[in-house]
Amino acid sequence: MIELTSIMGEDSSAQSLNLESWMGELPEQLKHVPFIYLAIPGSHDSMTYGISRSSGVAPDAEPIIKKLYPLFRGTILRWTITQAIDTSQQLLIGIRYLDLRLATKTGDNKFYFTHGVYANEITEALHQVKDFVDTHPGEVVILDFQHFYGFTPDDHQRLMRILLNLYGPRLVPRQIELQSITLNSLARLKQQGHAAASAVTQMGKLVGMLPSPWPQQDRVSGLLNFLRNVKRHPGMGFVHQAVLTPTPAFILFRWISTLRDKCAVPVKDEVLPELINFSPGPPLAKELGNQSPVNVVIADFVEMDNAIFSKTIIQLNMKLLKNLIDHS
């Protein structure tokens, strides 16, 4: 069991918060806060753990990748895979937002996760989410279907049927006022006959209420500047992408290295300590100045250093709790 220690609760005494149920164990005041104002750890390109040497080139691949993949498969894979642990493990270490990119295959009616090359077929991962929310009724999981490659209108309809059949009443319907969704309001759905209704999947891109602007930076200084200056709408959720994006030139000079070593580790070592200075809460909070507050924050290789990324982002909610207490 992975624990987050020294979290200050509503009585200002130290608590121990189990990462696999951190939402359910938040202080009561935070369960009344709109979900879009909480700090939530997520994973970037969540399903790339399923990419292997047998993976084929996918529709979202850049033209240069399609040409070089047969010759430099190993190198390309080292710079394509962004996560090392599967969906269940990500959820157990506190990840509550999954960044999903889907593609079809010619002559195949299944859907696959993708990041330039094909990862796994979607069924197992989606069932892992269902199994998790079934056994963790206080937790909320956001499934953000970011991109669809090779999809027809019929494919979109078929995907919707799969999601509805799998999750049913667990899905939170589209609501114009996202400020009305709180952990407690989701929990109350149980009283309306919805099984495990405190678990939710939300398709951010389809709903259009969870913007996720791409920093497109390969240097820590550029990424930090982006994160500090990006703006969000007060009525929407938001995703801060704490990720470095290698350009072809960047990779060329680091050919034998990996995305983990050259991008994820610098974010952990240099960007994550700066994120401690960020706060969740309403975007117009005066105490935040011009900096947009965090909601969802995503990163690569979220398991590193005993899930330090999840722990850091979750701890930001204690700033919000202090502000609520100070203003009560």
Side-chain angles (χ1 to χ4, degrees):
M1 181 178 293
I2 300 173
E3 293 186 342
L4 175 59
T5 58
S6 299
I7 290 292
M8 302 306 294
E10 55 190 309
D11 60 356
S12 296
S13 61
Q15 303 182 34
S16 176
L17 186 61
N18 179 12
L19 283 182
E20 70 179 76
S21 57
W22 69 267
M23 283 183 165
E25 296 180 15
L26 284 174
E28 190 63 25
Q29 292 100 316
L30 293 178
K31 295 182 181 180
H32 292 283
V33 171
F35 195 72
I36 60 174
Y37 299 155
L38 296 176
I40 300 168
S43 56
H44 170 244
D45 270 309
S46 305
M47 301 302 168
T48 55
Y49 63 84
I51 292 173
S52 69
R53 290 192 65 86
S54 63
S55 296
V57 176
D60 59 318
E62 297 288 341
I64 190 171
I65 297 298
K66 294 178 180 179
K67 292 180 180 179
L68 296 180
Y69 191 62
L71 298 174
F72 301 102
R73 181 182 299 255
T75 299
I76 290 171
L77 293 181
R78 290 198 301 272
W79 289 92
T80 299
I81 297 172
T82 64
Q83 303 297 335
I85 58 175
D86 71 14
T87 306
S88 291
Q89 292 171 306
Q90 291 183 35
L91 296 172
L92 289 174
I93 63 168
I95 297 300
R96 295 293 177 269
Y97 168 98
L98 299 174
D99 168 18
L100 309 177
R101 293 104 187 281
L102 272 61
T104 59
K105 283 185 181 181
T106 303
D108 188 333
N109 65 355
K110 296 178 181 178
F111 300 120
Y112 294 83
F113 297 117
T114 181
H115 186 212
V117 295
Y118 285 107
N120 294 335
E121 193 271 332
I122 68 171
T123 302
E124 181 179 7
L126 295 182
H127 275 279
Q128 287 179 345
V129 173
K130 181 179 183 296
D131 292 343
F132 178 81
V133 297
D134 281 346
T135 54
H136 298 78
E139 305 306 295
V140 174
V141 177
I142 304 171
L143 299 185
D144 192 350
F145 290 82
Q146 283 275 337
H147 300 287
F148 304 91
Y149 299 98
F151 268 63
T152 65
D154 286 344
D155 289 328
H156 283 286
Q157 291 300 317
R158 191 156 52 86
L159 175 62
M160 288 299 300
R161 288 195 295 271
I162 290 172
L163 296 175
L164 289 171
N165 289 337
L166 182 59
Y167 299 121
R170 294 172 177 80
L171 291 166
V172 169
R174 177 172 181 165
Q175 299 190 25
I176 297 176
E177 294 294 332
L178 290 182
Q179 291 97 328
S180 66
I181 301 176
T182 68
L183 290 176
N184 273 347
S185 73
L186 293 172
R188 283 196 297 271
L189 292 176
K190 289 182 180 180
Q191 301 172 357
Q192 300 169 347
H194 294 269
S198 58
V200 53
T201 61
Q202 178 188 51
M203 287 176 287
K205 285 297 177 183
L206 297 183
V207 175
M209 295 185 177
L210 203 68
S212 180
W214 182 26
Q216 203 168 355
Q217 299 289 329
D218 62 4
R219 294 180 181 273
V220 166
S221 58
L223 176 58
L224 283 172
N225 183 63
F226 177 89
L227 295 175
R228 288 170 179 149
N229 291 287
V230 68
K231 302 302 179 185
R232 59 177 289 196
H233 187 283
M236 296 182 180
F238 195 79
V239 179
H240 279 79
Q241 295 195 26
V243 296
L244 291 173
T245 304
T247 62
F250 183 98
I251 295 173
L252 181 62
F253 290 104
R254 299 161 183 84
W255 192 253
I256 63 173
S257 192
T258 67
L259 185 143
R260 181 189 184 103
D261 291 339
K262 298 303 181 181
C263 294
V265 170
V267 167
K268 172 180 66 70
D269 292 344
E270 301 177 55
V271 177
L272 193 57
E274 294 298 321
L275 288 177
I276 294 172
N277 299 319
F278 285 60
S279 298
L284 301 180
K286 292 181 181 179
E287 56 269 24
L288 294 173
N290 293 322
Q291 182 174 289
S292 288
V294 296
N295 177 206
V296 175
V297 185
I298 63 175
D300 295 325
F301 295 101
V302 291
E303 85 292 346
M304 290 190 296
D305 287 7
N306 196 28
I308 186 63
F309 170 73
S310 293
K311 295 175 184 179
T312 299
I313 302 307
I314 294 168
Q315 282 180 320
L316 296 180
N317 289 302
M318 298 308 111
K319 290 186 179 183
L320 180 57
L321 177 63
K322 183 178 184 302
N323 287 337
L324 292 174
I325 294 174
D326 289 345
H327 291 88
S328 63

